[in-house]
Amino acid sequence: MDLPEGVEYQEFDGEERLATRGEPVYGEPTAEGWRAWDARRSKLGAMYERGMDPGLQDGDRVLYLGAANGTTASHVADVARVVYAVEFAARPMRDLVDVAGTRDALVPLLKDARKPASYGHVVEADLDVLVQDVATRGQARVACANRRFLADDGRLAAVVKARSEDTVRDPEAVFEDALDDLRNEYRVLETKRLDPFHADHLAVVAEPR
């Protein structure tokens, strides 16, 4: 897999690590303008480490659902032209706003990803990439509801968190149900578990039907 322009492996303290160029955000190591992208704190970073292609390219327009305090969204904003970063909780939103102060491409939105109509007047249509990292039940349904913002040739990079769906069910069963729901709106291109970076997480790359 070829990494997108703006994402490279760089050396930090003698170790090759995934990195983007930008102001540091969460205490990550830096070297000559590059900042390490910690896959253990980023599901999207873990997707790259597992050899997946989330579809992100330099200059893309991105909708990021579940941006939390901006750890991963900051790396995406180092590459993308614009990142609409949706977060439901007020506390991490304060951190996300601070991160946006260092990145013109990052647009924080205090909204519920389950209700795309609430931010439809802000987020443009025909976006290149939809990144989903929400921690709620019905994660696949959230991705389907937000398909409206994605271009027909765009990409979905989603993570299904089994324990957010059901704390006791077998994760494989949870993943199969989520994939069945996703197929209502998407054609699944690739799936991989994110171990050892994130337990009981399934990463999905898909395209709109």
Side-chain angles (χ1 to χ4, degrees):
M1 180 206 65
D2 293 328
L3 293 172
E5 185 176 346
V7 181
E8 296 183 8
Y9 278 93
Q10 294 287 325
E11 185 173 310
F12 300 90
D13 298 324
E15 180 184 0
E16 290 287 316
R17 296 181 60 179
L18 197 68
T20 60
R21 283 192 174 275
E23 292 293 320
V25 168
Y26 52 100
E28 67 276 24
T30 60
E32 298 181 356
W34 292 92
R35 50 192 290 255
W37 191 343
D38 188 347
R40 296 188 182 277
R41 298 183 62 171
S42 169
K43 283 78 172 185
L44 191 64
M47 290 174 74
Y48 282 119
E49 294 283 10
R50 295 282 285 119
M52 300 182 75
D53 182 3
L56 179 66
Q57 298 295 327
D58 177 53
D60 274 354
R61 297 167 303 133
V62 179
L63 175 60
Y64 193 113
L65 305 177
N69 57 6
T71 297
T72 301
S74 69
H75 286 288
V76 177
D78 289 342
V79 177
R81 179 173 22 154
V82 62
V83 181
Y84 299 101
V86 176
E87 174 52 43
F88 177 70
R91 176 62 190 89
M93 174 55 68
R94 290 197 291 271
D95 293 336
L96 183 60
V97 169
D98 288 342
V99 174
T102 67
R103 285 166 172 79
D104 292 339
L106 190 57
V107 181
L109 299 171
L110 183 61
K111 298 292 183 181
D112 187 340
R114 296 170 296 184
K115 300 175 181 178
S118 68
Y119 46 88
H121 62 293
V122 177
V123 178
E124 57 192 304
D126 295 325
L127 297 177
D128 302 294
V129 180
L130 169 58
V131 178
Q132 178 166 307
D133 187 13
V134 298
T136 183
R137 291 177 182 263
Q139 294 161 74
R141 293 192 294 275
V142 172
C144 290
N146 282 273
R147 184 263 179 265
R148 59 190 281 184
F149 299 109
L150 195 58
D152 289 341
D153 62 350
R155 286 290 182 272
L156 167 71
V159 176
V160 180
K161 306 172 184 179
R163 299 310 176 194
S164 294
E165 292 284 353
D166 194 311
T167 57
V168 297
R169 269 185 90 200
D170 177 62
E172 288 299 331
V174 173
F175 296 150
E176 284 303 317
D177 286 350
L179 290 171
D180 284 344
D181 286 342
L182 278 175
R183 291 186 180 105
N184 291 320
E185 295 287 345
Y186 297 93
R187 185 169 72 90
V188 175
L189 303 176
E190 185 180 16
T191 65
K192 276 189 182 180
R193 294 282 290 260
L194 291 183
D195 304 88
F197 303 103
H198 304 277
D200 298 329
H201 286 55
L202 182 74
V204 182
V205 176
E207 63 182 7
R209 286 191 176 278

